[in-house]
Amino acid sequence: MTDAVRTLISKAMADVPDVQPAEAFAPSNIALSKYWGKRDKARNLPLNSSISISLGDLGSHTSVALSPTDKDEVTLDGETLDPDSAFAARTLGFVDMFRGDKHLPLLVQTRNTIPTAAGLASSASGFAALTQALCAAFDLSLSGTDMSRIARLGSGSATRSLWHGFVKWSKGEAEDGSDSHGIKLDHRWDNLRIAIIPVDKGIKPQSSRDGMNHSARTSPLFPTWPAQAEKDCAFIETAILERNFDALGPRVEANALAMHATMIAARPPLAYLTEKSWSVLANLWNARDNGLSAFATMDAGPNVKLVFEENSTSDVLSVFPEAQVISPFSDHAQAPS
Ligand code: 2P0
């Protein structure tokens, strides 16, 4: 745990614990300008800033309560997990930041509303919801910014899941990470749409954490990435502020492809995109040649997401009938705001 975060949650660690049952929701997010590479692995500090759009009601509901037994219990989508499983171990490691070495067995239940068929990662929404639920359970009244700093230690992309809408994760400069957190952009773009094109829900070849470390360590293309990604992030932020889709779309796609290029050039290569992902991209590019205004972004997995404006929805669906279309600014009914 970093000193900055230790200070934030010292009350939870110091007081005789009186854990209240608590529940929280956090949305998933898709980076329009990607985070890929760390300057400090222990503090989970990024090499470059990133910007995301949250996915409305698609995310994680997490509850925290005292365990009815003498043992920790972690459930995911209603199923009790082996405490040694990767998910349970990472969850309990995070919980330990709050309870320290006190004997305080907890029941932590997570339910994801991201369709399993889409095979999308949920560590961002999971750690953001877990942070909020733990803060409520331990009666810590913290700002979204402070919770974003804490969530960062669970997963970098979780810094951006504390809010709906556009969120920027400023890479920050401080060694202790105190200025590396999500910042909600107060700009709406009501007719912006995201489509998820499900490709494969299979297990990734490598976790994104391992993948980014491998790319940074071995890819001869990686050294140019952080500076270019920082420029992309600034460009995309301006395109959002100006609501300029002609600027936004191409840069979102170029940024994602540049990130994947660093992985493909890694030694040995790392390919999250499968033949089917490339086939989706080929269809998209062909449709674009015929006038479609939609652009792709891909994360550490094979699924493709599209960014477009509302007036392109029917054209997107005619090319990709399997697409799940999300309206990020209207598809949510609950906190966070
Ligand atoms: C992103 N990804 O900006 C990028 C794009 C995947 C590709 O953030 O090591 O699970 O826990 O900080 O947040 C996924 O990486 O990694 C991610 P850790 P995380 O959304």
Side-chain angles (χ1 to χ4, degrees), residues 195-199 273 277 280-281 284 296-298 302-306:
I196 298 170
I197 316 286
V199 167
L273 302 180
S277 317
V280 168
L281 289 173
L284 172 70
T297 184
M298 297 77 64
N303 299 299
V304 178
K305 295 88 166 189
L306 303 184

Side-chain angles (χ1 to χ4, degrees), residues 31 35 38 44 90 123 155-157 160 208-209 212 299:
Y35 147 54
K38 301 174 200 276
N44 227 9
R90 230 173 131 182
S123 67
S155 205
S157 48
R160 303 185 307 237
S208 37
R209 180 165 294 186
M212 71 175 81
D299 294 294

Side-chain angles (χ1 to χ4, degrees), residues 6 8 23 33 36 45 60 78 105 127 140-141 175 192 202 206 213 225 227 235 249 285 296 300 324:
R6 190 186 301 275
L8 290 173
E23 180 169 359
S33 185
W36 197 247
L45 299 175
S60 302
F127 280 108
L140 299 176
S141 180
E175 204 180 318
L192 194 73
Q206 223 177 81
N213 291 337
W225 162 259
F235 184 95
W285 294 336
Q324 180 187 357

Side-chain angles (χ1 to χ4, degrees), residues 199-235:
V199 167
D200 192 347
K201 59 174 176 173
I203 294 173
K204 301 178 189 185
Q206 223 177 81
S207 72
S208 37
R209 180 165 294 186
D210 291 346
M212 71 175 81
N213 291 337
H214 176 67
S215 304
R217 211 175 46 245
T218 71
S219 173
L221 295 190
F222 192 84
T224 63
W225 162 259
Q228 182 59 48
E230 201 62 31
K231 279 189 206 153
D232 289 347
C233 189
F235 184 95

